[in-house]
Amino acid sequence: MTHRTFILFFVLLLACLTTNAQYQPGPAPDGFDRPQVGLEHGKIDTIHYESKTVGKTRTALIYTPPGYLKTKKYPVLYLLHGIGGDEFEWLRNGRPEVIMDNLYANKKAEPMIIVLPNGRAMANDRATGNIMAPDKVQAFAHFEDDLIKDLIPYVQQHYSTYKDREHRAIAGLSMGGGQSLNFGLGNLNIFAWIGGFSSAPNTKQPTELIPNPTTTHKQLKLLWISCGTEDNLMPITSRTVDYLKENKIPHIFLKEPGGHDFKVWKNDLYHFSQLVFKDH
Ligand code: FER
């Protein structure tokens, strides 16, 4: 290799790496969230787990990918709902099973188990009455214990999963986005892949969220932050992203057209699910 070719090669390599670091996902292709005929489907189970945290049996939904085999091991994504939702919210409005079936038909995502929990950890976890009541909002924070001490162990006992941090992801929308950032960044020994979609005011202040940027940097596999440009909650996301930039913590920030709605969150899931559990 001549000196000039070497330099050219080096510059190209650098350009390639820089492009990767600035990876900016665009809108999902038409039909990504429409059921297609003639492809394999994943399966949705309803599970009931004993929650020592809440003192009750609680319900969650589990999507296993097409061709799920008990003889194989799978990574797990915990996907969380918003303040007006429950364990059915993603399924009703986000159709994650359709998005994932379509991605798998095109071999675009790692086969994974997706858990749809109820993130309001209290005896009555329905989204009824005043959903902004302090005890209900507090229950979203209390879910950290329910998730880590009760739900994750249940999932690992009853499904064929990997059990290390690098095979565990957490993401969610709005209140669930705040939960994902708080619980994920607060428990990097448990989660390596973290996504906050249109995160709500329950998101911790940046210095509390990431008190030690160097440690966080080392442990993170992916930190995804996204928000619609028309969303009133954008300041929460901007506050987090400013801190990430100041402290040079690698992340993907997607500012996308749209408001506080499922058009945005479906697009987020479409991208996030393709990024997790892969080497970049
Ligand atoms: C708030 C505004 C929005 C708030 C929560 C939300 C707890 C959550 C919105 C959602 O989950 O969609 O002030 O305070």
Side-chain angles (χ1 to χ4, degrees):
M1 206 186 278
T2 65
H3 193 65
R4 258 184 79 188
T5 344
F6 181 77
I7 289 179
L8 186 68
F9 175 74
F10 188 74
V11 167
L12 278 174
L13 183 74
L14 208 67
C16 217
L17 288 173
T18 325
T19 316
N20 250 344
Q22 289 171 346
Y23 172 75
Q24 276 294 333
D30 194 40
F32 81 103
D33 59 346
R34 269 200 305 273
Q36 315 280 339
V37 284
L39 48 75
E40 277 196 90
H41 299 288
K43 187 166 157 280
I44 292 157
D45 301 335
T46 303
I47 59 136
H48 303 284
Y49 64 101
E50 289 312 314
S51 167
K52 288 198 195 83
T53 306
V54 179
K56 258 193 93 172
T57 304
R58 307 196 72 224
T59 304
L61 306 177
I62 313 252
Y63 167 87
T64 50
Y68 172 77
L69 285 176
K70 289 205 169 91
T71 49
K72 275 200 207 164
K73 280 187 180 160
Y74 297 83
V76 187
L77 162 63
Y78 291 82
L79 186 61
L80 314 181
H81 61 81
I83 202 159
D86 54 26
E87 66 274 28
F88 300 106
E89 185 181 31
W90 266 103
L91 202 64
R92 273 202 200 110
N93 307 312
R95 306 298 306 271
E97 80 291 16
V98 174
I99 296 175
M100 297 312 295
D101 286 350
N102 291 344
L103 284 173
Y104 290 130
N106 293 301
K107 297 208 175 340
K108 284 189 152 182
E110 275 299 303
M112 71 186 86
I113 291 171
I114 300 185
V115 181
L116 308 174
N118 181 306
R120 193 181 290 99
M122 64 194 293
N124 176 4
D125 61 12
R126 296 302 92 195
T128 51
N130 177 12
I131 54 170
M132 290 280 189
D135 62 328
K136 296 196 180 181
V137 171
Q138 180 54 37
F140 277 85
H142 198 36
F143 180 63
E144 181 167 5
D145 279 345
D146 180 79
L147 172 65
I148 293 171
K149 296 178 185 160
D150 304 313
L151 180 57
I152 292 178
Y154 180 96
V155 170
Q156 291 180 172
Q157 232 170 49
H158 294 85
Y159 289 83
S160 192
T161 70
Y162 287 107
K163 296 178 172 65
D164 59 312
R165 59 184 294 280
E166 299 208 0
H167 290 95
R168 209 178 284 116
I170 185 164
L173 69 93
S174 203
M175 280 299 269
Q179 286 176 312
S180 299
L181 299 180
N182 295 346
F183 306 167
L185 293 164
N187 297 281
L188 281 162
N189 57 324
I190 301 180
F191 304 100
W193 312 82
I194 300 166
F197 310 162
S198 318
S199 301
N202 63 330
T203 309
K204 288 181 180 168
Q205 289 291 335
T207 49
E208 203 192 331
L209 197 58
I210 305 175
N212 192 338
T214 318
T215 323
T216 299
H217 186 153
K218 279 193 204 131
Q219 290 183 286
L220 268 177
K221 295 291 281 183
L222 171 68
L223 177 54
W224 162 288
I225 313 261
S226 51
C227 193
T229 50
E230 307 304 316
D231 192 327
N232 290 332
L233 296 182
M234 182 62 95
I236 307 290
T237 284
S238 306
R239 173 182 91 188
T240 311
V241 170
D242 288 349
Y243 183 85
L244 294 173
K245 284 188 187 145
E246 278 160 30
N247 290 281
K248 301 193 170 48
I249 300 167
H251 61 281
I252 292 178
F253 173 35
L254 177 64
K255 211 178 191 176
E256 58 203 298
H260 198 69
D261 57 52
F262 264 96
K263 185 174 174 291
V264 166
W265 302 325
K266 282 161 120 179
N267 189 51
D268 297 337
L269 178 64
Y270 172 82
H271 289 293
F272 185 80
S273 63
Q274 293 180 74
L275 291 167
V276 287
F277 312 127
K278 286 179 183 167
D279 285 320
H280 298 287

